[in-house]
Amino acid sequence: MRRRGRFVVLEGLDGAGTTTQSRLLGERLRDWGAGVQWNTELTALQQESDHVTATLKQPDGTARKVTAAYVAGCDGGRSAVRKAAGIAFEGITFPEHFLVAGTRYDFKRHMPGICSVNYTADPVEWYLLLEIPDMWRVITAADPAVEPSEAVQESRLQASLQNLLPRPEPYEILVKGVYRVHQRVAAAYRRGRVFLAGDAAHLNNPLGGMGLNGGLHDVLSLVPRLVDVWNGRKPDSELDGYEPQRRPEAIHAINAITARNKKLMEERDPAVRERNLRQMAEIASDPRRAYDYMLEASMITSLRRCGMLR
Ligand SMILES: Cc1cc2nc3c(=O)[nH]c(=O)nc-3n(C[C@H](O)[C@H](O)[C@H](O)COP(=O)(O)OP(=O)(O)OC[C@H]3O[C@@H](n4cnc5c(N)ncnc54)[C@H](O)[C@@H]3O)c2cc1C
């Protein structure tokens, strides 16, 4: 967002700027000459032919209007920018909620041979077991028949962890949460002078770890275009290339692969499960197919397909 010839980045409705990552990013942006305004909320957006006016709610609660040449809405799944631009968020919301629990329990010691990222397919209760820097994050689906507020109760999470790996003592659960899961893609990534990127443009289930990565790929496409147009090196039409480069990847890579992963994990038909496992084993035993599978899972194929990587 431009203000008096500079970029302004708005960050955070929820005390952002307090995490190490946010602080480091903020400092870096300032080094590059961008202004950063923490805890500032965009509440309205109006487009004219040659500029956009954003209404901002500042940390002290007062409103302020800012004009900009372009706005990039990277404001998450509930994107105020997307709503203000009148862009539909097409797709579905799954009936079940996902549960997340964080524990420092040493799964690697008690489940020898597991990796840092593990998917446990199970007809009743599947798990994603993920080692993050200071703990293990365990994700599973809540029973749709149980109220989300009930599903996230300590006793239910304990039962779920005990099902994953039984032990005599209860688990120490340091973090817990319950959230809705969507497969949605914005009907447009550009409307006039407004762009969408990241979760504002696409939401997917977390099985495959593609949401954040896909968002980074969006901005790797959008930002160089904005910089070129901003500096007068390229015409505005350069920005037209953003949507065709990124939106098909949200549909055919990010959404398609994460949806396939969810289906694989929750499959209940024993014959289909066996066939899926056999197919996976065949891929793993064929170096060429295993390599191609990894290129796809790591989103390198997606980057190549949309021309962002040779
Ligand atoms: C449990 C879980 C596990 C996940 N695991 C992975 C993984 O392994 N790999 C992966 O790639 N992805 C993963 N994801 C997805 C990933 O977290 C998201 O895709 C990513 O955080 C989206 O980043 P974003 O910047 O687009 O949006 P967000 O992280 O939602 O950030 C949006 C920002 O905009 C701010 N904002 C919102 N509205 C306004 C407004 N009106 N004005 C100003 N600011 C505003 C918010 O405060 C926030 O700071 C996971 C998600 C979950 C829930």
Side-chain angles (χ1 to χ4, degrees):
M1 182 178 294
R2 189 163 71 113
R3 185 170 61 104
R4 293 189 216 102
R6 282 157 53 102
F7 286 92
V8 175
V9 178
L10 306 179
E11 233 308 332
L13 306 177
D14 41 16
T18 54
T19 65
T20 309
Q21 296 94 319
S22 298
R23 257 201 328 273
L24 289 173
L25 281 172
E27 284 163 17
R28 200 68 201 274
L29 284 163
R30 283 203 178 99
D31 290 347
W32 287 339
V36 180
Q37 290 181 208
W38 302 114
N39 300 312
T40 302
E41 180 182 359
L42 181 143
T43 54
L45 203 57
Q46 198 173 346
Q47 288 208 55
E48 307 296 340
S49 59
D50 62 346
H51 70 276
V52 193
T53 302
T55 307
L56 310 180
K57 186 173 161 200
Q58 305 189 99
D60 64 5
T62 57
R64 204 173 110 228
K65 286 193 190 290
V66 166
T67 59
Y70 299 99
V71 168
C74 310
D75 50 345
R78 294 186 179 150
S79 176
V81 173
R82 187 186 65 237
K83 288 173 191 160
I87 299 173
F89 208 20
E90 296 167 345
I92 57 154
T93 298
F94 290 106
E96 74 272 32
H97 285 68
F98 278 20
L99 297 170
V100 57
T103 174
R104 292 217 178 93
Y105 184 72
D106 190 354
F107 283 106
K108 267 198 172 144
R109 207 170 130 221
H110 296 90
M111 297 168 100
I114 62 166
C115 309
S116 293
V117 182
N118 307 275
Y119 290 92
T120 319
D122 183 277
V124 180
E125 202 165 13
W126 56 259
Y127 294 92
L128 163 54
L129 189 57
L130 188 69
E131 187 179 27
I132 55 176
D134 52 350
M135 66 178 82
W136 284 85
R137 182 190 284 163
V138 184
I139 297 178
T140 188
D143 182 343
V146 177
E147 278 296 311
S149 57
E150 172 60 28
V152 77
Q153 292 299 315
E154 172 88 18
S155 58
R156 289 208 179 245
L157 292 175
Q158 285 292 348
S160 186
L161 290 171
Q162 291 288 349
N163 182 44
L164 172 68
L165 179 65
R167 60 189 290 253
E169 307 84 21
Y171 282 85
E172 184 196 13
I173 299 173
L174 300 162
V175 180
K176 57 180 185 157
V178 59
Y179 58 96
R180 293 221 76 129
V181 188
H182 315 265
Q183 299 280 153
R184 293 185 182 274
V185 179
Y189 275 26
R190 175 179 193 180
R191 184 140 297 163
R193 297 180 162 273
V194 175
F195 298 86
L196 299 176
D199 276 19
H202 47 82
L203 276 179
N204 56 273
N205 80 66
L207 305 178
M210 294 188 155
L212 176 63
N213 288 300
L216 291 173
H217 296 169
D218 293 342
V219 292
L220 286 172
S221 167
L222 178 59
V223 172
R225 294 173 193 277
L226 278 171
V227 169
D228 277 344
V229 173
W230 179 264
N231 288 315
R233 288 193 291 265
K234 298 225 168 117
D236 178 275
S237 58
E238 171 67 13
L239 297 166
D240 289 338
Y242 170 59
E243 179 178 312
Q245 185 162 55
R246 293 306 310 155
R247 190 169 176 274
E249 293 310 309
I251 296 168
H252 302 305
I254 302 174
N255 260 6
I257 296 171
T258 55
R260 181 196 66 191
N261 290 346
K262 183 171 182 293
K263 211 163 173 303
L264 274 175
M265 299 275 284
E266 65 195 12
E267 180 58 57
R268 292 194 167 200
D269 182 333
V272 179
R273 291 171 62 77
E274 201 182 321
R275 193 190 65 207
N276 290 342
L277 268 179
R278 206 173 42 245
Q279 280 174 355
M280 198 59 92
E282 281 167 12
I283 292 171
S285 63
D286 178 339
R288 183 69 241 174
R289 288 179 70 195
Y291 183 68
D292 288 344
Y293 185 92
M294 293 310 290
L295 288 180
E296 191 194 54
S298 58
M299 303 176 85
I300 292 172
T301 300
S302 163
L303 284 176
R304 285 184 177 154
R305 189 171 43 226
C306 73
M308 291 177 67
L309 190 70
R310 282 178 208 286

